[in-house]
Structure formats: structure tokens, C-alpha cells
Amino acid sequence: MSQEQGCGSGSCGCASKAPAVDDVKVAVAMVNGVPLHGEGESPDPEALRQRAYSELLRQAAQRKGLLAVGDLPSLDGVLSEAASDATLALLERELQLPEPDEASCKRYFDAHPARYHVGEKVQAKHILFAVTPGVDVPALRGRAEALLVTLRCEALNSPAFATAAAENSNCPSGAEGGDLGWLEAQDCAPEFASALFAQDEANAHIGVLPRLITTRFGFHIIQVLAREAGVAQQFESVKGAIGQVLRQQAYMTALRQYLSLLAGEAELLGLELDTADSPLLQ
């Protein structure tokens, strides 16, 4: 086809250049010609990535004979029950992971002593800037960060934190100056617990923590008033739990690499994924 295209009327004599390929907006993202959404839909980038990875696995399961060729993809990113079972079988076959040995478990235990204490407690306050539908998240974060800087300049016994909690916090605890009382790790959301219960002495802060903590609820400014150390557990009693952690870490590493290999072999249209072309490490 010529790069010069007329208006089609044949009477005005004008000519215009066809749009370059790079200038054409892709209407539907695809993996190996399979659409990931309907026309006119615009999934957010992370949702689109997840759909793409699911589709890569579905297609790989078909190539390996684990899923019937007649299994058809959906445009909402939800796999059929058969496809879901097949992808699990695929990953079990492809991701052959070594068992963590005792030496690896012991190194992990020695590197993370605070994770294996029982009964550690923290007395804390917080100010929650809740992320709700329609909220301007960057502006909300900016407000929270500005208040964080101010509060970090205050003494531990200053009433400033309680006053700020009463004026700004979207948590019911704001009426009590943000007071959460004494907490153990199981009392908190995982992200909150990770911030409160230090992984080493250098991070065992007393006072206002130096950064905002992000959870599913929003942005938190946290003030630690006191800590009670827990009782250290013996390696033998937690060796099994550490093995599970190391297995999960190895699985996630291998899964990311396998997905990158599948993406590297695929024809992707309208999206970008991390790709690789080296063999899967075991």
C-alpha cells in the first residue's frame, strides 16, 4: 500500500500521509493474538499485566497438553476452572525447586533474630490519612508527609502528636489522640506490623517513625512510645517455619523468571512485560 493516501473522493486532489505504525494507538492489548479485554475497555496497567501473565500460563498449559485446545480465554481475565487447574499443574511441573537445607535455614535465622521472638509488644499511636474513593492520593500523601516532618521535630512527651491525631486522623483512635495501646504483631495488618516490630536493633525506633507507612487503609504516621522485648525462640523450634519462608522465596523467584521466559517467547501487543531468554534456573 502506498504511504500517500488521498481523501477518497477523487475530486479534491489532496493527499495525506498514512499514520506511522508507532502513531497508531492499540485498541486492544493481546498476547499471541489473544485479546486481554474488550474494545473500548482500558484496564489499569497492573490489572492488564496480571491478565497477560494468566494468559501466558494458560497458553503454555495448552502447549504442554495439560489443557484442552478448546478451552477459550475470557475478556475479563478470569480463567476457567480447567485452566486454573492446568496452570497449577504446569507450575508444579516446570518449577522444580530444591529443598532448603539446614545450613540455609540457620543463616536465615541468624540474619533475622527479631522475627523469632515470642511476645514482643509495642505501645504506639498513629494518625491515619485514609485513601477513599475519589480522594486525590498524591495530595493526601503530601499532607501526610508534611505533618510527619513537623511531628518528628517534637519531643516524645509533647502533646503535639495527640493534637494532630485529633485534628487529622480518619481512625476512631483519633479521638483518643491516636492511642492504640500495647500491640503484638498479630494485632496489626501485616504492613503495619512490619513497621512496628523491628527486624534489627538499628530499626527499633522509639518516637515518630521516619517514614509514612502505607497499608490497605491509607497512609499512617506512627509514634512508638515504648517497647517490650519478646523471648527468643530456639532455632530447632522454628526451623520448619523458616523452611517454609525459604521455599516461598524460591518459588516466587522461579515464578517471576518463568513468566519472563514465557513473555520473551510471546508476541505482545499493546503492553510491555519483563522478558528473559535464558534457561530457567533450578
Short mmCIF file of all heavy atoms in Angstrom, two decimals, residues 83-116:
data_model
loop_
_atom_site.label_atom_id
_atom_site.label_comp_id
_atom_site.label_asym_id
_atom_site.label_seq_id
_atom_site.Cartn_x
_atom_site.Cartn_y
_atom_site.Cartn_z
N ALA A 83 -8.70 -24.33 33.27
CA ALA A 83 -7.46 -23.59 33.00
C ALA A 83 -6.71 -23.30 34.29
O ALA A 83 -5.47 -23.38 34.34
CB ALA A 83 -7.77 -22.30 32.26
N SER A 84 -7.44 -22.98 35.34
CA SER A 84 -6.80 -22.72 36.63
C SER A 84 -6.09 -23.97 37.13
O SER A 84 -4.93 -23.91 37.58
CB SER A 84 -7.85 -22.24 37.64
OG SER A 84 -7.25 -21.97 38.88
N ASP A 85 -6.76 -25.12 37.05
CA ASP A 85 -6.13 -26.37 37.49
C ASP A 85 -4.92 -26.71 36.62
O ASP A 85 -3.89 -27.18 37.12
CB ASP A 85 -7.14 -27.52 37.41
CG ASP A 85 -8.25 -27.39 38.45
OD1 ASP A 85 -8.06 -26.65 39.43
OD2 ASP A 85 -9.30 -28.04 38.29
N ALA A 86 -5.04 -26.45 35.32
CA ALA A 86 -3.95 -26.77 34.41
C ALA A 86 -2.72 -25.90 34.65
O ALA A 86 -1.59 -26.38 34.58
CB ALA A 86 -4.43 -26.61 32.96
N THR A 87 -2.94 -24.63 34.95
CA THR A 87 -1.79 -23.76 35.20
C THR A 87 -1.08 -24.15 36.50
O THR A 87 0.15 -24.07 36.58
CB THR A 87 -2.21 -22.28 35.26
OG1 THR A 87 -3.20 -22.10 36.26
CG2 THR A 87 -2.75 -21.82 33.92
N LEU A 88 -1.84 -24.58 37.50
CA LEU A 88 -1.22 -25.07 38.72
C LEU A 88 -0.37 -26.31 38.44
O LEU A 88 0.74 -26.45 38.95
CB LEU A 88 -2.29 -25.38 39.77
CG LEU A 88 -3.01 -24.18 40.39
CD1 LEU A 88 -4.12 -24.65 41.32
CD2 LEU A 88 -2.03 -23.29 41.15
N ALA A 89 -0.91 -27.22 37.62
CA ALA A 89 -0.16 -28.42 37.25
C ALA A 89 1.08 -28.05 36.45
O ALA A 89 2.15 -28.66 36.62
CB ALA A 89 -1.06 -29.36 36.44
N LEU A 90 0.95 -27.04 35.58
CA LEU A 90 2.09 -26.58 34.78
C LEU A 90 3.21 -26.08 35.68
O LEU A 90 4.38 -26.44 35.51
CB LEU A 90 1.62 -25.47 33.84
CG LEU A 90 2.72 -24.74 33.06
CD1 LEU A 90 3.28 -25.63 31.97
CD2 LEU A 90 2.18 -23.43 32.47
N LEU A 91 2.86 -25.23 36.64
CA LEU A 91 3.88 -24.66 37.52
C LEU A 91 4.52 -25.73 38.40
O LEU A 91 5.72 -25.69 38.66
CB LEU A 91 3.26 -23.56 38.38
CG LEU A 91 2.80 -22.32 37.61
CD1 LEU A 91 2.11 -21.34 38.54
CD2 LEU A 91 3.97 -21.65 36.90
N GLU A 92 3.71 -26.71 38.83
CA GLU A 92 4.28 -27.78 39.63
C GLU A 92 5.30 -28.58 38.82
O GLU A 92 6.31 -29.03 39.35
CB GLU A 92 3.16 -28.71 40.12
CG GLU A 92 3.64 -29.77 41.10
CD GLU A 92 2.49 -30.57 41.67
OE1 GLU A 92 1.31 -30.22 41.43
OE2 GLU A 92 2.76 -31.57 42.35
N ARG A 93 5.04 -28.72 37.52
CA ARG A 93 5.96 -29.46 36.66
C ARG A 93 7.20 -28.65 36.32
O ARG A 93 8.33 -29.16 36.34
CB ARG A 93 5.25 -29.85 35.37
CG ARG A 93 6.17 -30.50 34.34
CD ARG A 93 5.51 -30.59 32.97
NE ARG A 93 4.43 -31.57 32.94
CZ ARG A 93 3.79 -31.92 31.82
NH1 ARG A 93 4.13 -31.36 30.67
NH2 ARG A 93 2.81 -32.81 31.87
N GLU A 94 7.01 -27.36 36.02
CA GLU A 94 8.11 -26.54 35.50
C GLU A 94 9.01 -25.96 36.58
O GLU A 94 10.20 -25.76 36.35
CB GLU A 94 7.54 -25.41 34.64
CG GLU A 94 6.79 -25.87 33.41
CD GLU A 94 7.67 -26.58 32.41
OE1 GLU A 94 8.82 -26.14 32.22
OE2 GLU A 94 7.23 -27.58 31.84
N LEU A 95 8.44 -25.67 37.75
CA LEU A 95 9.23 -25.03 38.81
C LEU A 95 9.70 -26.08 39.81
O LEU A 95 9.11 -26.27 40.87
CB LEU A 95 8.40 -23.95 39.51
CG LEU A 95 7.76 -22.88 38.63
CD1 LEU A 95 7.07 -21.83 39.49
CD2 LEU A 95 8.76 -22.24 37.70
N GLN A 96 10.75 -26.78 39.44
CA GLN A 96 11.32 -27.78 40.32
C GLN A 96 12.30 -27.09 41.27
O GLN A 96 13.37 -26.65 40.87
CB GLN A 96 12.03 -28.86 39.50
CG GLN A 96 11.11 -29.59 38.55
CD GLN A 96 10.00 -30.34 39.26
OE1 GLN A 96 10.23 -30.97 40.30
NE2 GLN A 96 8.79 -30.26 38.74
N LEU A 97 11.91 -26.98 42.54
CA LEU A 97 12.69 -26.19 43.50
C LEU A 97 13.42 -27.08 44.50
O LEU A 97 12.85 -28.06 44.99
CB LEU A 97 11.75 -25.24 44.26
CG LEU A 97 10.91 -24.32 43.37
CD1 LEU A 97 9.93 -23.54 44.22
CD2 LEU A 97 11.81 -23.38 42.58
N PRO A 98 14.66 -26.74 44.81
CA PRO A 98 15.40 -27.52 45.80
C PRO A 98 14.86 -27.26 47.21
O PRO A 98 14.37 -26.17 47.51
CB PRO A 98 16.82 -27.00 45.66
CG PRO A 98 16.66 -25.59 45.16
CD PRO A 98 15.45 -25.63 44.27
N GLU A 99 14.95 -28.28 48.07
CA GLU A 99 14.56 -28.12 49.46
C GLU A 99 15.62 -27.31 50.20
O GLU A 99 16.81 -27.56 50.03
CB GLU A 99 14.40 -29.48 50.13
CG GLU A 99 13.06 -30.14 49.92
CD GLU A 99 11.95 -29.38 50.63
OE1 GLU A 99 12.02 -29.19 51.85
OE2 GLU A 99 11.01 -28.96 49.93
N PRO A 100 15.22 -26.32 50.99
CA PRO A 100 16.21 -25.57 51.77
C PRO A 100 16.88 -26.49 52.79
O PRO A 100 16.20 -27.24 53.49
CB PRO A 100 15.37 -24.48 52.46
CG PRO A 100 13.97 -25.00 52.45
CD PRO A 100 13.84 -25.85 51.23
N ASP A 101 18.20 -26.45 52.84
CA ASP A 101 18.90 -27.30 53.79
C ASP A 101 19.02 -26.61 55.15
O ASP A 101 18.68 -25.43 55.30
CB ASP A 101 20.28 -27.71 53.26
CG ASP A 101 21.16 -26.50 52.92
OD1 ASP A 101 20.92 -25.41 53.48
OD2 ASP A 101 22.08 -26.65 52.11
N GLU A 102 19.52 -27.33 56.13
CA GLU A 102 19.60 -26.80 57.49
C GLU A 102 20.54 -25.60 57.56
O GLU A 102 20.27 -24.63 58.29
CB GLU A 102 20.05 -27.88 58.47
CG GLU A 102 20.07 -27.39 59.91
CD GLU A 102 20.03 -28.53 60.92
OE1 GLU A 102 19.55 -29.62 60.58
OE2 GLU A 102 20.46 -28.30 62.06
N ALA A 103 21.61 -25.62 56.78
CA ALA A 103 22.57 -24.51 56.80
C ALA A 103 21.90 -23.23 56.31
O ALA A 103 22.11 -22.14 56.87
CB ALA A 103 23.78 -24.84 55.95
N SER A 104 21.08 -23.34 55.25
CA SER A 104 20.39 -22.15 54.73
C SER A 104 19.40 -21.62 55.76
O SER A 104 19.28 -20.40 55.95
CB SER A 104 19.65 -22.50 53.43
OG SER A 104 20.55 -22.93 52.44
N CYS A 105 18.68 -22.54 56.42
CA CYS A 105 17.72 -22.13 57.45
C CYS A 105 18.43 -21.44 58.60
O CYS A 105 17.94 -20.42 59.13
CB CYS A 105 16.95 -23.34 57.95
SG CYS A 105 15.83 -24.08 56.73
N LYS A 106 19.59 -21.95 58.98
CA LYS A 106 20.33 -21.36 60.11
C LYS A 106 20.84 -19.98 59.74
O LYS A 106 20.80 -19.05 60.57
CB LYS A 106 21.49 -22.27 60.48
CG LYS A 106 22.23 -21.84 61.76
CD LYS A 106 21.31 -21.87 62.97
CE LYS A 106 22.07 -21.78 64.28
NZ LYS A 106 22.79 -20.53 64.45
N ARG A 107 21.30 -19.80 58.52
CA ARG A 107 21.77 -18.47 58.10
C ARG A 107 20.62 -17.47 58.14
O ARG A 107 20.80 -16.33 58.57
CB ARG A 107 22.37 -18.54 56.68
CG ARG A 107 23.76 -19.14 56.62
CD ARG A 107 24.42 -18.84 55.28
NE ARG A 107 23.68 -19.43 54.16
CZ ARG A 107 23.87 -20.67 53.70
NH1 ARG A 107 24.78 -21.44 54.28
NH2 ARG A 107 23.17 -21.12 52.68
N TYR A 108 19.46 -17.88 57.70
CA TYR A 108 18.30 -17.00 57.73
C TYR A 108 17.93 -16.67 59.17
O TYR A 108 17.62 -15.51 59.50
CB TYR A 108 17.12 -17.67 57.01
CG TYR A 108 15.93 -16.76 56.84
CD1 TYR A 108 15.81 -15.95 55.71
CD2 TYR A 108 14.92 -16.69 57.80
CE1 TYR A 108 14.71 -15.11 55.54
CE2 TYR A 108 13.84 -15.85 57.64
CZ TYR A 108 13.74 -15.06 56.52
OH TYR A 108 12.66 -14.23 56.37
N PHE A 109 17.95 -17.65 60.03
CA PHE A 109 17.63 -17.44 61.45
C PHE A 109 18.60 -16.45 62.08
O PHE A 109 18.19 -15.52 62.79
CB PHE A 109 17.70 -18.79 62.17
CG PHE A 109 17.46 -18.71 63.65
CD1 PHE A 109 16.17 -18.62 64.16
CD2 PHE A 109 18.52 -18.73 64.55
CE1 PHE A 109 15.94 -18.55 65.53
CE2 PHE A 109 18.31 -18.66 65.91
CZ PHE A 109 17.02 -18.57 66.41
N ASP A 110 19.87 -16.60 61.81
CA ASP A 110 20.88 -15.71 62.39
C ASP A 110 20.77 -14.30 61.84
O ASP A 110 21.09 -13.33 62.54
CB ASP A 110 22.29 -16.26 62.11
CG ASP A 110 22.59 -17.54 62.87
OD1 ASP A 110 21.91 -17.79 63.88
OD2 ASP A 110 23.48 -18.30 62.43
N ALA A 111 20.30 -14.17 60.60
CA ALA A 111 20.19 -12.84 59.98
C ALA A 111 18.93 -12.10 60.40
O ALA A 111 18.84 -10.88 60.22
CB ALA A 111 20.23 -12.98 58.46
N HIS A 112 17.93 -12.80 60.95
CA HIS A 112 16.66 -12.18 61.30
C HIS A 112 16.23 -12.59 62.72
O HIS A 112 15.16 -13.17 62.90
CB HIS A 112 15.57 -12.57 60.30
CG HIS A 112 15.91 -12.27 58.89
ND1 HIS A 112 16.59 -13.16 58.06
CD2 HIS A 112 15.68 -11.17 58.12
CE1 HIS A 112 16.75 -12.61 56.87
NE2 HIS A 112 16.21 -11.41 56.88
N PRO A 113 17.05 -12.30 63.71
CA PRO A 113 16.74 -12.76 65.07
C PRO A 113 15.43 -12.21 65.62
O PRO A 113 14.71 -12.91 66.33
CB PRO A 113 17.94 -12.29 65.88
CG PRO A 113 18.51 -11.14 65.10
CD PRO A 113 18.29 -11.51 63.67
N ALA A 114 15.10 -10.95 65.30
CA ALA A 114 13.91 -10.34 65.89
C ALA A 114 12.62 -10.96 65.37
O ALA A 114 11.57 -10.82 65.99
CB ALA A 114 13.90 -8.84 65.62
N ARG A 115 12.68 -11.66 64.24
CA ARG A 115 11.48 -12.27 63.69
C ARG A 115 11.04 -13.49 64.50
O ARG A 115 9.91 -13.95 64.36
CB ARG A 115 11.70 -12.69 62.24
CG ARG A 115 11.92 -11.52 61.30
CD ARG A 115 11.96 -11.96 59.86
NE ARG A 115 12.23 -10.81 58.99
CZ ARG A 115 12.32 -10.86 57.67
NH1 ARG A 115 12.14 -12.03 57.06
NH2 ARG A 115 12.55 -9.78 56.96
N TYR A 116 11.94 -13.98 65.30
CA TYR A 116 11.64 -15.22 66.02
C TYR A 116 11.68 -15.00 67.52
O TYR A 116 12.29 -15.74 68.27
CB TYR A 116 12.59 -16.33 65.54
CG TYR A 116 12.39 -16.56 64.07
CD1 TYR A 116 13.26 -15.99 63.13
CD2 TYR A 116 11.28 -17.24 63.60
CE1 TYR A 116 13.02 -16.15 61.77
CE2 TYR A 116 11.04 -17.40 62.24
CZ TYR A 116 11.91 -16.85 61.34
OH TYR A 116 11.67 -17.00 60.00
#
